[in-house]
């Protein structure tokens, strides 16, 4: 799985390799590496091989025969869905989510499900049910979360593409930890059908090695589905075309001020400043800005809205298995968020959401004077396994501690703006070192164009962990 998903699709189409050969290679890598990394929690060898057997040369679907991993959060017909939690038991959906359906229609072959933290709460992937996923760059450290299993699988070369979902940084964080491209799309760009009309915080996308792959896959999964409550307006051209366009001279704001109090690791700050220098060398104007979130602690307000999503997940999981929610079925942090939310009335929820929307207007106002905002992707280097513990004695402190690790990402889930993590550098500690670019509302095309320009100036796709190159 050393080639891009785009190139692999072309090889199958031209008859230079078969879909079965690609799937067998993916399954072999999973067999070799998963015992150490624990990226996959379910491998569907029989289903993947059966799908691959039906794909032949000349198949014009863009990704025909290309293996893909699906996070344990999206419905896949016939595959167990648990969202990392015991509360879902062994529930097996009898339908595909719209994103999964579109990925299948584009020719992707699903080889299995990847690990995630329970209910997608934490930016590390260490669920009690399945155990920790390890970073291929350093197996003592986290691959990030919540799409950590998918990120580890792509970084290790098990699959060329991993599905993810991002409700507070859950694509961008693992992309930053594992040296990948991670795009959180604009609110409403990718449908949440058929189970949800819309989502205030969570958006689906993929983790890849290159900007071009991310753009071409976004062309596949983006778009309205019947019954969507709201959706992002369609672009005038494809996202793939945006990658090939010069972004022009841009006004880029930069801040290293985190949205939560806490220390910023010097390498993370230095990465943002060096990225600013690269951008200036490409002809852009870069100016430091004071963000509206400076000095504000938004975690309590954010947690009321985010925690409601968690509470609903617990309630649905228990209902699907015919049980009542209980602390035995979920981790202590999940139970803490569940009980706090249950004690909150609808008035408090709507007030919290309104506060976030008010903050959003202030943040989006920055784009009156700029085109893109540059920040560090993370505030700390990838933390060690066990450093953030959802089963610890003080769950709320663990939740807050996770925010110190990742204070730059959730802001753009609140505003609904697109944001992308790009692995522009590599640290002295041997780990990838990423920055985040945030675009204007529904501005994925601009972000992809700029990210592609950075990738051309400072290529990263061939940087691979030793474990993947073996």
């Amino acid at each position: 799985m050393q080639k891009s998903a785009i190139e692999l699709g072309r090889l199958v189409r031209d008859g230079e390799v078969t879909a079965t050969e690609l799937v067998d290679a993916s399954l072999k890598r999973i067999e070799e590496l998963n015992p150490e990394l624990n990226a996959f929690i379910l491998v569907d060898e029989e289903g993947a091989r059966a799908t691959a057997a039906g794909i032949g040369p000349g198949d014009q679907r863009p990704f025909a025969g290309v293996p893909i991993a699906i996070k344990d959060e999206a419905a896949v017909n016939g595959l167990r869905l648990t969202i990392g939690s015991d509360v879902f038991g062994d529930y097996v959906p009898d339908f595909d989510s719209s994103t999964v359906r579109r990925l299948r229609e584009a020719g992707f072959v699903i080889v299995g499900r990847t690990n995630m933290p329970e209910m997608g709460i934490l930016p590390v992937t260490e669920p009690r049910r399945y155990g920790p996923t390890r970073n291929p760059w350093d197996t003592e450290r986290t691959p990030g979360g919540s799409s950590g299993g998918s990120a580890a699988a792509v970084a290790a070369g098990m699959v060329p593409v991993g599905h993810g979902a991002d409700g507070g940084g859950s694509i961008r964080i693992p992309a930053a930890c594992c040296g990948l491209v991670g795009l959180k799309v604009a609110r409403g760009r990718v449908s949440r059908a058929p189970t949800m009309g819309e989502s205030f915080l969570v958006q689906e996308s993929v983790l890849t090695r290159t900007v071009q792959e991310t753009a071409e896959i976004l062309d596949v999964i983006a778009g309205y589905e019947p019954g969507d409550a709201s959706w992002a307006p369609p672009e005038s051209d494809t996202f793939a075309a945006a990658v090939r366009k010069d972004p022009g001279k841009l006004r880029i704001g930069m801040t290293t001020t985190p949205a939560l109090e806490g220390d910023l690791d010097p390498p993370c700050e230095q990465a943002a400043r060096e990225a600013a220098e690269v951008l200036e060398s490409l002809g852009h104007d870069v100016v430091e800005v004071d963000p509206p979130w400076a000095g504000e602690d938004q975690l309590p307000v954010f947690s009321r809205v985010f925690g409601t999503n968690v509470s609903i997940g617990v309630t649905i999981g228990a209902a699907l298995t015919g049980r009542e929610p209980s602390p035995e079925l979920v981790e202590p942090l999940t139970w803490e968020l569940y009980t706090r939310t249950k004690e909150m009335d609808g008035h408090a929820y709507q007030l919290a959401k309104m506060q976030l929307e008010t903050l959003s207007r202030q943040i989006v106002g920055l784009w009156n004077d700029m085109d893109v905002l540059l920040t560090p992707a993370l505030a700390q280097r990838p933390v060690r396994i066990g450093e953030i513990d959802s089963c610890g004695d003080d769950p709320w402190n663990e939740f807050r501690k996770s925010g110190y690790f990742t204070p730059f990402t959730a802001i753009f889930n609140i505003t609904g703006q697109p944001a992308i993590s790009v692995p522009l550098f590599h640290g002295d500690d041997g780990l990838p070192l990423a920055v985040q670019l945030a675009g204007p509302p529904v501005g994925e095309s601009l972000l992809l164009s700029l990210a592609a320009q950075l990738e051309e100036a400072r290529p990263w796709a061939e940087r691979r962990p030793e474990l993947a190159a073996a």
Side-chain angles (χ1 to χ4, degrees), residues 142-176:
T142 184
S146 64
S147 306
S150 285
V154 175
M158 296 176 175
V159 286
V161 177
H163 161 270
D166 191 317
S170 291
I171 288 174
R172 290 159 290 157
I173 294 162

Side-chain angles (χ1 to χ4, degrees), residues 71-108:
K71 183 181 179 181
D72 188 27
E73 185 173 358
V76 178
N77 188 357
L79 293 189
R80 187 182 67 232
L81 172 65
T82 70
I83 315 185
S85 178
D86 289 324
V87 75
F88 276 82
D90 291 320
Y91 166 66
V92 177
D94 59 1
F95 64 94
D96 285 338
S97 74
S98 60
T99 299
V100 169
R101 190 198 79 235
R102 288 179 178 229
L103 290 168
R104 287 193 200 268
E105 289 172 349
F108 279 109

Side-chain angles (χ1 to χ4, degrees), residues 73 88 127 136-137 166 304 309 324 405 408 414 426:
E73 185 173 358
F88 276 82
W137 290 93
D166 191 317
R304 292 184 195 118
N309 290 348
E324 289 294 321
F405 173 37
F408 294 100
I414 293 170
H426 208 74

Side-chain angles (χ1 to χ4, degrees), residues 220-297:
V220 166
I221 63 176
Y224 171 82
E225 290 280 328
D228 284 349
S230 62
W231 57 93
E235 293 288 287
S236 59
D237 204 346
T238 65
F239 293 109
V243 171
R244 297 187 288 270
K245 290 180 180 176
D246 188 313
K249 184 174 182 176
L250 300 177
R251 299 167 299 168
I252 298 175
M254 183 190 77
T255 183
T256 58
T257 301
L260 291 172
E261 292 182 5
D263 295 331
L264 178 61
D265 280 0
C268 299
E269 179 174 3
Q270 185 62 26
R273 299 199 179 280
E274 289 185 13
E277 293 175 4
V278 175
L279 288 164
E280 287 178 330
S281 74
L282 294 170
H284 304 295
D285 292 330
V286 182
V287 179
E288 288 205 47
V289 298
D290 294 321
W293 60 76
E296 298 288 334
D297 183 3

Side-chain angles (χ1 to χ4, degrees), residues 139-365:
T139 56
E140 295 303 310
R141 294 181 183 268
T142 184
S146 64
S147 306
S150 285
V154 175
M158 296 176 175
V159 286
V161 177
H163 161 270
D166 191 317
S170 291
I171 288 174
R172 290 159 290 157
I173 294 162
C177 289
C178 293
L180 305 174
V181 176
L183 172 68
K184 185 201 80 69
V185 299
R187 183 178 294 140
R189 178 66 69 197
V190 176
S191 176
R192 301 283 284 165
T195 55
M196 300 176 67
E198 62 182 355
S199 176
F200 181 67
L201 293 176
V202 181
Q203 310 302 324
E204 291 180 87
S205 184
V206 290
L207 295 111
T208 69
R209 292 189 184 280
T210 68
V211 177
Q212 186 73 47
E213 289 171 285
T214 293
E216 294 203 15
I217 297 170
L218 181 55
D219 281 324
V220 166
I221 63 176
Y224 171 82
E225 290 280 328
D228 284 349
S230 62
W231 57 93
E235 293 288 287
S236 59
D237 204 346
T238 65
F239 293 109
V243 171
R244 297 187 288 270
K245 290 180 180 176
D246 188 313
K249 184 174 182 176
L250 300 177
R251 299 167 299 168
I252 298 175
M254 183 190 77
T255 183
T256 58
T257 301
L260 291 172
E261 292 182 5
D263 295 331
L264 178 61
D265 280 0
C268 299
E269 179 174 3
Q270 185 62 26
R273 299 199 179 280
E274 289 185 13
E277 293 175 4
V278 175
L279 288 164
E280 287 178 330
S281 74
L282 294 170
H284 304 295
D285 292 330
V286 182
V287 179
E288 288 205 47
V289 298
D290 294 321
W293 60 76
E296 298 288 334
D297 183 3
Q298 296 296 333
L299 187 64
V301 179
F302 176 80
S303 67
R304 292 184 195 118
V305 178
F306 181 79
T308 299
N309 290 348
V310 173
S311 178
I312 291 171
V314 173
T315 302
I316 291 173
L320 287 170
T321 55
R323 298 176 290 182
E324 289 294 321
S326 70
E328 293 75 31
L329 295 175
V330 295
E331 297 169 1
L333 175 56
T334 305
W335 188 251
E336 178 80 8
L337 287 168
Y338 172 78
T339 53
R340 284 184 181 225
T341 301
K342 292 286 284 185
E343 293 168 358
M344 179 178 70
D345 60 19
H347 174 85
Y349 170 80
Q350 288 294 345
L351 180 61
K353 189 165 179 285
M354 186 180 73
Q355 288 175 280
L356 294 183
E357 290 168 344
T358 300
L359 175 62
S360 294
R361 290 191 183 276
Q362 297 172 26
I363 294 170
V364 176

